[in-house]
Amino acid sequence: TPPTGLTATMSEVGPDFAMINVSINSYGTPSGSANRYIEAAILGSSSYGSPYRYATSTATTSAKIAVTNNNGGSLVIAPNTTYYYGGYASNTVRSASTVAGQFTTLPAVPVISATDQGHGQIAFTVTHGTEGSAETVTEEYSKDGGTTWVTITDGAFTLTLSAQTTVDVRRTSAAGVSSAMITVAPEFTTAAYVSIGNKTATMTKAYGSVNGLSVRGKKIYASVEGKTKLVYEDPA
């Protein structure tokens, strides 16, 4: 007799994997074979079988099973693509299968690169791997730990930063969110210039009066278009 009470429920979805809970009430007869197993699968059609990816759990009546592109089968699980999912059970003589429903994988994970353009300006580029078109995907970035999100246009944006900053990027669809982060530290090459012998020379040291004493200054700021800008930084 075949296994009975077979169910499959979706537990977690990723860009190219799914976690599926599979369980049975009984393995039927024979029920004690050492090779009995339950199986979870991501399916390319509404019937159980190829093309699919599947993974198994042996000699158990319930398990949370991860199905990835590294498991059995030939189906390629792609981001932002709709698939069916289901479960299977075998006592080595008889089997049972079920197709539980459909789901859509998350958007492809963003890949972030950054280029320091000087003066605190960092140019960011966001790319991603090949994905389907099951859902509309939006891209956003945050530089304040996810409090404020700004839409990314054409996969690129530029920020003016004054210190090391972690920038989060997320790609969102109706299926969920895929995210990544990058930490950048701008390098400043600002300099101030003076006239020496009617020639322009880079200022290498600056001094100011602090409590009546001459103190070497580390940074000099000036007002540029109404904003405070760093115009000199001690090379030391």
Side-chain angles (χ1 to χ4, degrees), residues 11-125:
S11 173
E12 180 185 348
V13 176
D16 54 4
F17 72 90
M19 301 286 290
I20 303 171
N21 292 317
V22 178
S23 66
I24 56 173
N25 293 335
S26 168
Y27 269 104
T29 304
S31 62
S33 169
N35 294 321
R36 65 193 187 279
Y37 66 92
I38 55 176
E39 176 180 286
I42 296 175
L43 310 163
S45 70
S46 58
S47 60
Y48 198 96
S50 185
Y52 66 160
R53 286 282 180 180
Y54 61 89
T56 63
S57 181
T58 303
T60 184
T61 58
S62 65
K64 179 187 291 186
I65 302 174
V67 183
T68 74
N69 282 318
N70 294 322
N71 296 130
S74 59
L75 178 72
V76 177
I77 308 168
N80 197 26
T81 304
T82 300
Y83 299 99
Y84 290 86
Y85 71 97
Y88 183 90
S90 171
N91 59 24
T92 71
V93 177
R94 299 289 300 277
S95 63
S97 65
T98 182
V99 176
Q102 288 181 286
F103 75 101
T104 300
T105 50
L106 299 186
V109 176
V111 178
I112 316 166
S113 60
T115 302
D116 193 329
Q117 297 181 324
H119 303 288
Q121 284 197 331
I122 309 292
F124 296 86
T125 302

Side-chain angles (χ1 to χ4, degrees), residues 128-147:
H128 59 84
T130 302
E131 66 180 5
S133 56
E135 302 286 355
T136 300
V137 178
T138 59
E139 291 183 342
E140 299 170 296
Y141 74 84
S142 173
K143 62 176 183 177
D144 57 9
T147 301

Side-chain angles (χ1 to χ4, degrees), residues 6 28 30 33 40-41 62 65 104 130 150 177 179 186 199 213 219 224:
L6 174 64
S33 169
S62 65
I65 302 174
T104 300
T130 302
V150 180
V177 179
S179 61
K199 294 183 179 181
L213 299 176
K219 296 179 180 179
V224 180

